[in-house]
Amino acid sequence: MHRILALIFSLSVATGNVIAQEKYAYKRSLLLMGTAFEITAISDNEKRAVKSIDAAIVEIQRIEGLISSWDPNSQTSMINRNAGLKAVKVDKELFDLISRSLKVSQLTNGAFDISYAAADRIWKFDGSMKQVPSVEQINASISKIGFNKIILNKEETSVFLQQPGMKIGFGGIGKGYAANMAMGVMKKMGVEGGVVNASGDLISWGKQENDGDWRIGISDP
């Protein structure tokens, strides 16, 4: 019996008809970077899929430690604390992310601006507001915003916020960047398909477990 099975397998290999191992979707949902993440790995190897998701989580946590403005020990917090005082030398990864953010600001004429973080919270969405803020309140709130006041020194990989009270925050780009980096980690580990979804900031690659294309739905606004 064993010889028969071995012969069938040998013939299958010779004719290119080896039956592929079945693929499954392995998913994990959890809170990261203050929001809901869902990480999916498509693989025919459960151990590889689980390890890749673990590695993706570690990578996202690493990025959060780099860009978080809530963590007093992060380089981003150090930049904010030294606004108007001095330039801060940072890792090349953070420097490149800030540089990329400024390019997006230029392309959008300031509609995207990581220095938005300095805005005072004059708008409230809990039903407590009785009237809209005055022009004076609005102008005061946005007075410290301005991507053109973020000075980068490429040789020193340093960042300087020119005006005291300025702050930067990566709420508009950080989760998408983390999703991309997590995907890179999973692909290096041999995961041929998957999705990293950070509450709508998502990236997909490869195919679904049934070899179908990924379908992304956007709800009617």
Side-chain angles (χ1 to χ4, degrees):
M1 183 64 181
H2 291 300
R3 289 180 179 178
I4 294 173
L5 290 174
L7 178 61
I8 292 173
F9 180 78
S10 298
L11 289 172
S12 296
V13 171
T15 58
N17 293 324
V18 175
I19 299 173
Q21 287 184 278
E22 193 167 358
K23 297 178 181 178
Y24 295 94
Y26 299 90
K27 298 185 179 183
R28 184 128 19 119
S29 298
L30 69 166
L31 287 175
L32 294 166
M33 301 180 74
T35 192
F37 269 74
E38 183 176 78
I39 304 172
T40 303
I42 306 299
S43 180
D44 57 9
N45 185 308
E46 181 178 4
K47 184 178 290 186
R48 180 191 300 139
V50 171
K51 283 188 174 181
S52 75
I53 293 174
D54 289 339
I57 292 170
V58 171
E59 177 68 358
I60 293 166
Q61 291 171 332
R62 182 190 70 80
I63 293 167
E64 181 178 16
L66 186 68
I67 69 175
S68 173
S69 57
W70 301 104
D71 181 356
N73 298 313
S74 74
Q75 293 182 7
T76 299
S77 292
M78 193 178 300
I79 293 170
N80 292 341
R81 281 197 302 271
N82 285 281
L85 299 175
K86 64 179 181 177
V88 175
K89 185 176 177 60
V90 299
D91 291 347
K92 186 177 183 300
E93 182 179 12
L94 180 58
F95 184 90
D96 289 345
L97 182 59
I98 295 172
S99 178
R100 178 182 175 185
S101 298
L102 296 187
K103 288 178 182 177
V104 176
S105 294
Q106 292 166 354
L107 288 171
T108 61
N109 293 318
F112 175 87
D113 191 337
I114 59 172
S115 68
Y116 81 95
D120 294 327
R121 299 181 182 275
I122 58 175
W123 296 92
K124 301 189 184 301
F125 303 94
D126 57 2
S128 63
M129 290 188 70
K130 303 302 179 183
Q131 59 185 22
V132 298
S134 67
V135 173
E136 291 76 18
Q137 287 175 310
I138 293 172
N139 288 337
S141 173
I142 65 176
S143 63
K144 299 179 182 67
I145 297 176
F147 69 91
N148 57 331
K149 293 182 282 188
I150 301 174
I151 309 302
L152 303 183
N153 185 318
K154 190 172 183 179
E155 287 70 31
E156 298 290 332
T157 62
S158 66
V159 184
F160 177 51
L161 307 183
Q162 284 186 315
Q163 186 177 347
M166 283 186 70
K167 293 179 182 179
I168 59 173
F170 295 95
I173 197 172
K175 292 189 293 295
Y177 176 71
N180 273 274
M181 295 297 286
M183 175 194 70
V185 167
M186 295 174 74
K187 289 176 74 172
K188 284 182 180 178
M189 295 180 69
V191 175
E192 298 177 359
V195 176
V196 181
N197 183 1
S199 295
D201 288 314
L202 63 84
I203 188 165
S204 66
W205 72 100
K207 300 279 188 176
Q208 297 188 60
E209 65 270 28
N210 60 3
D211 286 329
D213 292 330
W214 294 105
R215 296 175 62 84
I216 307 300
I218 301 175
S219 60
D220 187 340

